[in-house]
Amino acid sequence: MEEIDLIRYAQKGDLDAFNRLVLMYQDLVYNQAVRVLGEEEAAQDATQEAFISTFRNLRNYRGGSFRAWLLRIVTNACYDELRRRRRRPSTPLEPQDEDGEDIESPHWLVDPGERPDDRIERNELEAALQHCLNGLPLEFREIVILVDVQGLDYAEAAQAAGKPLGTIKSRLARARDRLRDCLKGFGELLPLEYRLKGEDK
Amino acid sequence: MKPQTSPHDLEMLSLYLDEKLNPTQRKRLEERLKGNQALSLTLDELRHTRTAYRNMPKVHSPRNFTLTQQMIGSGIAKRVYPAWGFVSALAGFLFVLILAGDLLGIFTRQSRTVALRQISDSEAAAPAAENLQEKSVLAAPTSTVLSTETPSLQAQEAFQALAPAANEPTAQNTQAAPETLAKTAPGGAETATPLLEGMYAKEAPSPDLGGSDEVGSSGVMSDTLRTSLPTAPAVAESFAQSLESTPTPTGNQEIPAEITGGNEKVPVQSVEKKPETDSWQMILWVLEGLFASTAIIAGMIVFFQKRKIAHDRRRG
C-alpha cells in the first residue's frame, strides 16, 4: 500500500495503517530526536510522544512532505522535552553493568561485527560531532540536523522547521560556521578524511 | 587562526557547497576563490564539516514505537469543543460588525456636519443677499421686511418662489403674491399693492386678464386685473406660514428697528433646535457594547479552554 493510502486510512482512525507508517519512519524520527536532544532515553520518550501526537493530529495534515511534517512534530516534542528539563533538571542514570560500573555504550548500540578499534573511533567521532551539535543554539541545531544529518533539501527543511527559505539558508551557514570552529578542537579525534585542512600535517 | 569571513560570504559559501547558487553567482564566487586564499580555506573547512555531519552514523530506533489502543485512548482527537469553533466565528463576525457600525457612524456624523455647515454658510450669505435685494430689486420697505424675514434656506426659497409667480401672470399668481407681501409688511400694504400692481402690469400683459401692451407699458392696471389681485395681507399670511414651518438655528430674533421703523419690535418666533436624541444611535451603541462584550468573553473562554486541553494533553 502506498504511503498516501496509509495516511488516508490512518486519518479515518485505522491504527494498523498508522502503525505501518510508524515502522516506515521510526528510525528517521528517533534519529532526529537523538540528535536534537543528545540523549537516547529522552529521545525515546520524545519519539513516542511525537507518534501519539501525530496520530491525534493527523486530520491537520494537508498534504506536502509527510516526512517533513513528522520531523516538525518530533522537533516540537524535543523542544517540549528540553523545556521540561530546564524546569526540572535531573541527572541521567548511566547504564551500569552487574558490578555497578558505568557502561560506556548501551548494548543496543554495539555492533557485534565491528572491530573494537573501529568502534572506539566511531564513538569518539560521533561523540565529538554530537558535542558540537549540543553546543549550538536550538534554532541552528534544528536546521543543521535537518539538512546535513537527515539529508532534507532546503524546501523540506523549511517546511519541517516552519521557517522561510531565507532563514534556513542563513541559519545553516551560521550553524556550519560554528560547527567548523567547534570541530577544530577535536582535530586529533577526527579520522584523516574528516580532519580540517592543515591539521593532518 | 580563523580567517575572518563575513556572514554574507559564509552564506554564499554554504549555498555553493549545496549547489544552490545561480550560474552568475557561482562564477563570481569561483573567481573570488581563485584570488582569495582565506576564502578558499574557509570553503574547505566548511566542506569537511558538512561531510562529517552527512556521514554521521544514523541511530536506529532501539525498539518499535507502534501505538496501541491504550496509548491513543479515544482515537484520533476529534474536535473536543466543536461549539467553540462556532463561537470563534461568531466573535469574529461581531467584531467586523462593530467595526462596520463605527465606520458607518463616522460617515453619518461627517455628512451631518457637512450639511449643518452648508446651512450655516447659506445663512451667513443671507444678509448679503438681503442687501442686494434692498438696493436693487425693491426699494419699498415691504421688500426689506420680506427679505429680512427669510433667514433660512426654505424661507429664501419661498421668497424666490414669488419671482416665477410674478413672471407667470395667471390669475392665481397675481392673487398670491401681493397678499403675501402685504401681510408681511405691517403698515406697508398700501405701498405694496401699487408697487406690485406696477410690476405685474409691466411683466404680465396677458390678454386673458384684460391687459394689453399699452397698459403694461404705461403701468396702469386694468380693472379686471386689479380685481383679480389679492390683497397684501393674504400674501403675508401665506409667507408667515412658510416661516413658521421652518426651524431656524439662531433662536429668537427681532426685526431690526430700521425695518419696523422703530415703532415696535416684532419678535419672530423661531423653532429652537433641541439636542437631537438619536435613539438609533443609542440602540447602536448598546448593541455594540453587547457585541463587544460577547466577543471578548467568547474569545477568553476559547483561549482558556484550548490552554486547558493542551495542558491536559501534555500531562498525558
Side-chain angles (χ1 to χ4, degrees):
Chain A
M1 204 182 286
E2 294 282 324
E3 180 189 279
I4 187 72
D5 296 323
L6 290 173
I7 292 168
R8 206 167 48 238
Y9 281 119
Q11 280 178 326
K12 290 174 184 169
D14 187 342
L15 191 58
D16 289 337
F18 184 76
N19 279 335
R20 287 178 70 179
L21 286 169
V22 171
L23 292 174
M24 281 168 67
Y25 286 107
Q26 62 184 5
D27 282 349
L28 178 90
V29 172
Y30 178 70
N31 197 41
Q32 176 80 4
V34 168
R35 293 308 171 207
V36 173
L37 293 171
E39 201 181 297
E40 284 152 9
E41 195 77 22
Q44 285 187 45
D45 291 344
T47 305
Q48 190 69 75
E49 184 66 33
F51 279 123
I52 293 172
S53 178
T54 303
F55 186 72
R56 282 182 174 156
N57 294 293
L58 211 51
R59 284 175 186 225
N60 296 332
Y61 173 66
R62 299 269 181 266
S65 168
F66 186 67
R67 178 169 74 150
W69 191 65
L70 265 180
L71 288 172
R72 185 171 189 177
I73 291 175
V74 73
T75 307
N76 286 337
C78 291
Y79 284 174
D80 286 348
E81 173 63 27
L82 288 171
R83 272 194 291 267
R84 243 196 314 271
R85 211 184 290 177
R86 217 173 293 155
R87 281 199 302 267
R88 293 189 291 272
S90 60
T91 310
L93 292 171
E94 292 295 331
Q96 294 179 336
D97 61 13
E98 293 168 353
D99 302 327
E101 297 290 321
D102 287 349
I103 301 173
E104 278 191 8
S105 302
H107 64 88
W108 58 78
L109 285 181
V110 177
D111 182 355
E114 202 174 19
R115 282 177 15 207
D117 289 352
D118 291 344
R119 195 173 70 232
I120 290 167
E121 196 176 83
R122 187 181 65 83
N123 285 342
E124 283 179 347
L125 172 65
E126 192 181 335
L129 293 172
Q130 185 64 52
H131 174 83
C132 290
L133 272 182
N134 292 346
L136 285 178
L138 264 178
E139 62 268 21
F140 291 172
R141 196 190 311 175
E142 177 193 6
I143 305 300
V144 82
I145 290 171
L146 286 170
V147 176
D148 283 344
V149 179
Q150 301 282 30
L152 270 65
D153 62 22
Y154 282 17
E156 257 188 319
Q159 189 190 336
K163 295 281 183 295
L165 208 60
T167 309
I168 300 295
K169 289 175 186 174
S170 61
R171 283 187 184 176
L172 182 64
R174 291 168 72 183
R176 282 172 174 169
D177 186 42
R178 290 190 185 205
L179 290 173
R180 174 177 68 116
D181 286 346
C182 176
L183 283 178
K184 280 181 181 175
F186 293 94
E188 70 283 359
L189 292 175
L190 296 173
L192 200 59
E193 66 266 26
Y194 293 147
R195 283 187 196 167
L196 304 180
K197 198 173 183 178
E199 288 182 355
D200 54 338
K201 291 173 185 171
Chain B
M1 190 181 164
K2 182 187 173 186
Q4 291 298 316
T5 315
S6 71
H8 178 259
D9 283 346
L10 272 174
E11 195 172 327
M12 295 301 280
L13 291 173
S14 178
L15 291 170
Y16 179 74
L17 286 175
D18 293 331
E19 297 178 354
K20 297 288 181 189
L21 290 180
N22 62 42
T24 316
Q25 289 174 320
R26 193 175 66 231
K27 195 174 174 184
R28 202 179 300 154
L29 184 65
E30 280 171 350
E31 280 173 8
R32 280 187 65 201
L33 283 168
K34 280 178 196 167
N36 192 331
Q37 195 75 27
L39 201 65
S40 184
L41 180 63
T42 306
L43 177 68
D44 283 345
E45 288 175 353
L46 284 174
R47 182 181 285 125
H48 287 301
T49 305
R50 176 172 165 271
T51 308
Y53 279 96
R54 292 217 157 180
N55 291 329
M56 201 176 181
K58 298 280 183 288
V59 185
H60 295 286
S61 56
R63 61 180 177 86
N64 283 336
F65 291 98
T66 49
L67 305 184
T68 62
Q69 201 65 46
Q70 257 185 335
M71 284 177 181
I72 56 171
S74 58
I76 289 179
K78 291 169 187 169
R79 301 192 73 167
V80 187
Y81 295 101
W84 296 129
F86 173 72
V87 170
S88 302
L90 183 69
F93 172 72
L94 293 179
F95 180 70
V96 171
L97 201 68
I98 289 164
L99 278 183
D102 280 347
L103 285 176
L104 199 69
I106 288 166
F107 286 134
T108 313
R109 274 195 293 277
Q110 278 177 349
S111 60
R112 197 176 294 173
T113 312
V114 168
L116 281 172
R117 197 173 297 150
Q118 282 174 349
I119 289 171
S120 61
D121 287 349
S122 64
E123 283 168 358
E130 170 193 324
N131 288 336
L132 276 175
Q133 285 163 1
E134 272 180 28
K135 288 174 185 173
S136 62
V137 184
L138 296 170
T142 48
S143 65
T144 312
V145 172
L146 181 68
S147 57
T148 49
E149 284 184 343
T150 56
S152 68
L153 270 180
Q154 287 89 344
Q156 208 166 15
E157 283 168 7
F159 175 74
Q160 285 165 354
L162 292 173
N167 289 332
E168 294 171 17
T170 61
Q172 284 179 336
N173 289 338
T174 48
Q175 273 180 356
E179 280 179 13
T180 310
L181 286 171
K183 189 164 184 181
T184 316
E190 294 80 8
T191 54
T193 307
L195 176 73
L196 283 167
E197 280 173 2
M199 280 172 63
Y200 277 71
K202 268 184 184 175
E203 295 180 10
S206 169
D208 295 338
L209 296 175
S212 65
D213 287 345
E214 289 174 3
V215 171
S217 59
S218 66
V220 180
M221 193 180 282
S222 69
D223 290 341
T224 318
L225 180 59
R226 187 182 294 275
T227 51
S228 67
L229 273 175
T231 56
V235 177
E237 188 179 357
S238 70
F239 188 67
Q241 281 171 359
S242 74
L243 274 180
E244 280 174 6
S245 64
T246 307
T248 56
T250 50
N252 288 335
Q253 285 184 341
E254 288 184 350
I255 298 172
E258 60 268 26
I259 295 168
T260 58
N263 295 331
E264 53 182 339
K265 284 194 171 183
V266 183
V268 177
Q269 195 86 28
S270 64
V271 179
E272 194 173 319
K273 193 184 178 187
K274 294 174 186 174
E276 199 174 292
T277 49
D278 196 344
S279 57
W280 279 109
Q281 185 103 20
M282 289 294 289
I283 290 168
L284 194 67
W285 284 347
V286 170
L287 279 176
E288 274 190 13
L290 278 174
F291 288 166
S293 50
T294 309
I296 290 167
I297 291 167
M300 284 174 72
I301 289 171
V302 170
F303 175 73
F304 284 117
Q305 285 292 341
K306 282 190 173 175
R307 265 190 79 175
K308 188 174 175 291
I309 291 166
H311 182 69
D312 290 347
R313 275 193 185 157
R314 269 203 300 274
R315 292 185 71 184

